Amino acid sequence: MNETKPYQVIGTRPIRHDGVDKVTGRAVYGADVQLPGLLHGRILRSPYAHALIRSIDVKPALAVPGVAAVVTAHDLPEPGNRIAELGEGAINLRHLSCNTLARDKVLYKGHAVAAVAAVSAHVAEEALALIKVDYQPLHPVIDVQTAMRDGAPILHEDLVTESLAGMSGPNGNGKLTNVAKHFQFKLGDPAQGFAGAAVVVERSFKTATVHQGYIEPHNATAQWNADGTVTVWCSTQGAFTVRAQLAELLQLPISRIKVVPTEIGGGFGGKIRVYLEPVAAALSRKAGRPVKVLMNRAEVFEGTGPTPGSFLRVKMGADKGGRLTAAEAYLAYEAGAFPGSPVGAGAMCVFACYDIPNVFIDGYDVVVNKPATSAYRAPGATNAAFAVESVVDEICERLQLDPLDFRLENAAREGTRRADGPVNPRIGMVETVEAAKAHPHYNAPLQGPNRGRGVASGFWFNIGLKSSATVSVNADGTVNLVEGSTDIGGTRTSLAMQLAEVLGLRAEDVRPVVGDTDMVGYTDVTGGSRVTFATGWAVYEAGQDIKRQLSARAAQIWDVKPEDVSYDGGVLTCRTDPAKRFTFKELAGKLHATGGTIVGQASVDPPGAGGAFATHIVDVEVDPDTGKVTILRYTAVQDCGRAIHPSYVEGQIQGGAVQGIGWALNEEYVYNDKGVMTNASFLDYRMPTSLDLPMIDAVIVEVPNPGHPYGVRGVGEVPIVPPPGAIANAIYRAVGVRMPELPMSPGRVLREVLTSKR
């Protein structure tokens, strides 16, 4: 890392490279794709949350004029009960296929059952209504605690619990179960730690299912070509991940599939798993024409992956001096219809902000009759932090300690070991708490009745994974960058800036493009806070490749050895004759006369992603008559390692905090007793708007990550983690009630306030 020499590009705020296209409407999103002979696809979805499929009759739909094809699950190959690594984690291919189109059973209301391609969307919808599905309704189970009980309706007839003891039924009795996985982490001796505690607090918490709330609905356009190759255009967080999923579901070699990522109108983890892409491809194969399939908003809510509802129990103890001695957590997360909740990630994050010598964590992955869960910004961590930060605040109150002083005393540091195994490298938890404590917000008076101030911290571990980049030098002294990471939050520019820093150019001299799966080397998903870190590393290495080649060209011109050429700030100088020098632009103009174009490239799989920490402060006012919580002031402090483009970093922090505020106060899936979501629209699913929020003060702390050449840490996920805990603590300071359930909507807050007065 460059700790002394000032950066020329990193830390500045250039205009984003894709800005003009997006503000003028030229940017192409998935729904904008138009091909000759395009057909329009629509999907028939189950009206039941849990039912057997006795039969499907598609003949009436095929008889409708203008209908070109109808598909069901039987038009997709049976993938078998195999596990594959296809994104941010392993997935069972049969589950992925059955989620795309249900085979023998529907497992949530909105589960896709059949699809139609026709000359227009209206004709397709008319045909859908004629498809006859004979269902045998079953009792649904939509709550994690209910699903774990003996006698609960069973979703999968072949599901057994994966546990430390291997594959077995619950408690080893071989019975069918809804518990897909049970695991434990342990550090030290928790019983001894609690025995030495002066204060022990144990509380239970519940969180509701919430959605990522991206603006753009899912979409996919597929063209199955006459030569047996398939091209798919879609809004996705990972073109290579879509390609891998399609290869497995369609049983095609990856070389016969090309995925073209269009611009994406938000994802936050919800656009990694395929939903429409295999269906569009199957329809195109049958129809012999390209097919576009779109979702409406209700389908997005009911048919794609939200974050899990959960039940948590947290117990923590501290001695008289305020030092944490032990902690236990019980985490039961809803996986939705198929196994795979982020409970593992939640367990990794639950106590990660603190240095606790004795820890026990018990985790459960549980299937319920809801859509299969997907990632949502630090998946699993927000649920866990809500519980832990609430308990920490109660301990501080009992010991009469300032909550930030308590966090400083117990903060995780370099060398602290998490219960799941990793030992922290250089991290910034302490620095975020110190910055929060020194901030004017924390020290400002808060006056008026029913007002309170709360704080909370949060952690996300970040990931590295694989990335590739290719850089070519243009004769005019600019460079073209082709990289494989979908740009959701401005990463084209953050990558271009790192390349510009390496080469000594302006950010504007780099022309970044997100390539399709045929244009650039394998690159993992845009998720896990990995792009600026990992793809940035690939860009850095590709830049070093360019520097080596340019030095060799200069040496050729000067008739010296390449090691006799220095490269500094975009200027090449001969060490043995300093009068000989080229600027980058000058040498670029001579490339065609000295051997041709220079292309640099790199593929990386970097370790050392480094964890990210945040500490938030919030002031609230609670209306005692209605229970409505108003956010008065919000400050989010975060260690970003190195802020490549501070404006983008601030935007990520503010956006994550807003989503966490929505999760805390209003957002939830509301189900009736039949497992039907009753608020599947933005009218009834209450997300915060600019009218609900104050300006959010984003404070950037920079503790450089030793695992990256520029000290980068991922920034996009940890800001969603602290808000529910901070707001819950502020509500307590305002009206004296502890909130055990999310969202803390007006009705719930009012109920707790009224109960406390009885």
Side-chain angles (χ1 to χ4, degrees), residues 109-197:
K109 199 271 185 186
H111 198 162
V113 174
V116 171
V119 293
S120 73
H122 300 295
V123 172
E125 289 167 1
E126 177 186 347
L128 282 186
L130 298 176
I131 296 175
K132 299 175 182 178
V133 184
D134 183 9
Y135 295 103
Q136 179 183 331
L138 304 171
H139 290 294
V141 55
I142 55 173
D143 172 79
V144 64
Q145 290 175 280
T146 303
M148 296 177 75
R149 292 175 188 154
D150 289 338
I154 296 296
L155 272 68
H156 299 276
E157 298 305 320
D158 58 351
L159 183 62
V160 293
T161 302
E162 178 186 349
S163 69
L164 299 174
M167 305 296 288
S168 67
N171 303 317
N173 59 17
K175 292 182 180 178
L176 293 176
T177 178
N178 292 319
V179 179
K181 188 173 185 178
H182 174 219
F183 63 90
Q184 296 175 339
F185 297 135
K186 187 176 181 181
L187 176 66
D189 186 343
Q192 183 179 354
F194 283 118

Side-chain angles (χ1 to χ4, degrees), residues 658-672:
V658 168
Q659 289 180 310
I661 290 169
W663 194 337
L665 294 181
N666 296 103
E667 295 185 42
E668 65 176 320
Y669 275 39
V670 179
Y671 285 93
N672 63 21

Side-chain angles (χ1 to χ4, degrees), residues 28-31 33 216 219 233-236 260-264 486-487:
V28 177
Y29 290 82
V33 174
E216 176 199 35
N219 55 79
W233 295 259
C234 58
S235 299
T236 175
V260 182
T262 62
E263 297 291 352
I264 180 171
T486 305
D487 185 349

Side-chain angles (χ1 to χ4, degrees), residues 319-466:
D319 61 24
K320 291 181 180 179
R323 192 76 178 87
L324 287 167
T325 61
E328 291 183 354
Y330 172 97
L331 312 174
Y333 281 31
E334 296 172 358
F338 300 97
S341 78
V343 65
M348 294 164 67
C349 296
V350 61
F351 297 124
C353 289
Y354 303 105
D355 184 0
I356 310 173
N358 306 291
V359 177
F360 179 72
I361 301 169
D362 207 16
Y364 296 85
D365 180 41
V366 185
V367 294
V368 296
N369 291 116
K370 295 180 181 178
T373 58
S374 289
Y376 179 17
R377 254 186 164 147
T382 304
N383 313 51
F386 166 59
V388 169
E389 296 301 298
S390 298
V391 170
V392 165
D393 195 68
E394 189 169 347
I395 290 174
C396 292
E397 181 196 20
R398 292 196 186 186
L399 293 174
Q400 298 184 335
L401 294 174
D402 177 273
L404 291 185
D405 286 339
F406 181 88
R407 284 169 174 80
L408 285 175
E409 174 66 24
N410 292 282
R413 291 168 165 80
E414 183 175 358
T416 298
R417 181 189 167 192
R418 296 202 317 250
D420 57 304
V423 176
N424 289 327
R426 188 180 180 192
I427 58 172
M429 172 62 182
V430 169
E431 286 81 356
T432 68
V433 180
E434 289 174 338
K437 188 175 180 182
H439 196 277
H441 182 176
Y442 195 65
N443 298 289
L446 181 60
Q447 299 175 342
N450 304 312
R451 292 186 172 190
R453 176 170 297 153
V455 300
S457 295
F459 167 80
W460 180 249
F461 47 84
N462 296 337
I463 56 175
L465 303 182
K466 302 172 183 65

Side-chain angles (χ1 to χ4, degrees), residues 392-710:
V392 165
D393 195 68
E394 189 169 347
I395 290 174
C396 292
E397 181 196 20
R398 292 196 186 186
L399 293 174
Q400 298 184 335
L401 294 174
D402 177 273
L404 291 185
D405 286 339
F406 181 88
R407 284 169 174 80
L408 285 175
E409 174 66 24
N410 292 282
R413 291 168 165 80
E414 183 175 358
T416 298
R417 181 189 167 192
R418 296 202 317 250
D420 57 304
V423 176
N424 289 327
R426 188 180 180 192
I427 58 172
M429 172 62 182
V430 169
E431 286 81 356
T432 68
V433 180
E434 289 174 338
K437 188 175 180 182
H439 196 277
H441 182 176
Y442 195 65
N443 298 289
L446 181 60
Q447 299 175 342
N450 304 312
R451 292 186 172 190
R453 176 170 297 153
V455 300
S457 295
F459 167 80
W460 180 249
F461 47 84
N462 296 337
I463 56 175
L465 303 182
K466 302 172 183 65
S467 285
S468 301
T470 301
V471 179
S472 56
V473 180
N474 299 317
D476 63 357
T478 62
V479 296
N480 294 336
L481 165 63
V482 182
E483 49 89 7
S485 293
T486 305
D487 185 349
I488 300 181
T491 50
R492 280 186 187 89
T493 298
S494 70
L495 298 175
M497 291 173 70
Q498 291 180 76
L499 179 60
E501 190 69 51
V502 172
L503 298 177
L505 303 177
R506 302 178 308 151
E508 294 81 0
D509 292 331
V510 180
R511 301 175 60 83
V513 173
V514 178
D516 63 47
T517 55
D518 284 356
M519 289 175 59
V520 67
Y522 180 86
T523 300
D524 274 303
V525 298
T526 295
S529 294
R530 61 169 299 275
V531 173
T532 302
F533 169 79
T535 309
W537 196 311
V539 166
Y540 174 87
E541 293 294 350
Q544 299 298 330
D545 190 11
I546 292 289
K547 288 173 64 174
R548 287 189 291 269
Q549 294 185 60
L550 284 173
S551 296
R553 292 295 178 89
Q556 176 186 335
I557 294 171
W558 294 330
D559 195 22
V560 298
K561 296 178 180 178
E563 53 266 31
D564 291 331
V565 178
S566 70
Y567 190 119
D568 185 36
V571 177
L572 297 96
T573 306
C574 182
R575 299 181 194 275
T576 58
D577 185 357
K580 295 178 179 178
R581 64 190 299 276
F582 286 124
T583 64
F584 185 96
K585 186 173 183 178
E586 289 170 342
L587 186 53
K590 299 178 183 296
L591 294 182
H592 289 297
T594 59
T597 301
I598 282 178
V599 177
Q601 56 190 0
S603 292
V604 301
D605 186 5
F613 293 85
T615 299
H616 291 194
I617 312 166
V618 61
D619 295 348
V620 306
E621 182 175 45
V622 180
D623 186 327
D625 296 322
T626 65
K628 182 180 185 297
V629 177
T630 300
I631 306 293
L632 303 175
R633 186 174 182 180
Y634 203 101
T635 301
V637 183
Q638 185 170 322
D639 169 26
C640 303
R642 182 79 69 196
I644 301 297
H645 192 305
S647 295
Y648 293 172
V649 172
E650 291 162 356
Q652 288 289 329
I653 293 172
Q654 291 163 338
V658 168
Q659 289 180 310
I661 290 169
W663 194 337
L665 294 181
N666 296 103
E667 295 185 42
E668 65 176 320
Y669 275 39
V670 179
Y671 285 93
N672 63 21
D673 58 2
K674 295 182 179 180
V676 175
M677 184 181 179
T678 60
N679 61 329
S681 74
F682 278 151
L683 178 65
D684 298 314
Y685 182 88
R686 180 75 169 86
M687 292 173 61
T689 71
S690 58
L691 300 178
D692 300 306
L693 300 164
M695 295 299 291
I696 293 174
D697 190 359
V699 179
I700 297 173
V701 172
E702 292 184 305
V703 178
N705 174 17
H708 188 274
Y710 291 131

Side-chain angles (χ1 to χ4, degrees), residues 198-288:
V199 172
V200 176
V201 175
E202 182 174 10
R203 296 286 180 263
S204 296
F205 301 88
K206 292 180 68 175
T207 72
T209 299
V210 301
H211 198 272
Q212 298 87 348
Y214 35 79
I215 296 173
E216 176 199 35
H218 290 254
N219 55 79
T221 301
Q223 181 165 310
W224 197 295
N225 301 303
D227 61 0
T229 61
V230 182
T231 302
V232 173
W233 295 259
C234 58
S235 299
T236 175
Q237 292 180 237
F240 288 89
T241 299
V242 170
R243 185 183 70 173
Q245 292 176 83
L246 286 173
E248 295 287 0
L249 295 181
L250 302 175
Q251 294 188 4
L252 289 175
I254 59 171
S255 59
R256 304 192 71 77
I257 302 171
K258 180 169 79 171
V259 177
V260 182
T262 62
E263 297 291 352
I264 180 171
F268 312 109
K271 290 182 179 172
I272 297 174
R273 178 188 284 115
V274 295
Y275 297 98
L276 304 179
E277 293 87 347
V279 177
L283 286 169
S284 178
R285 176 170 52 182
K286 267 197 166 183

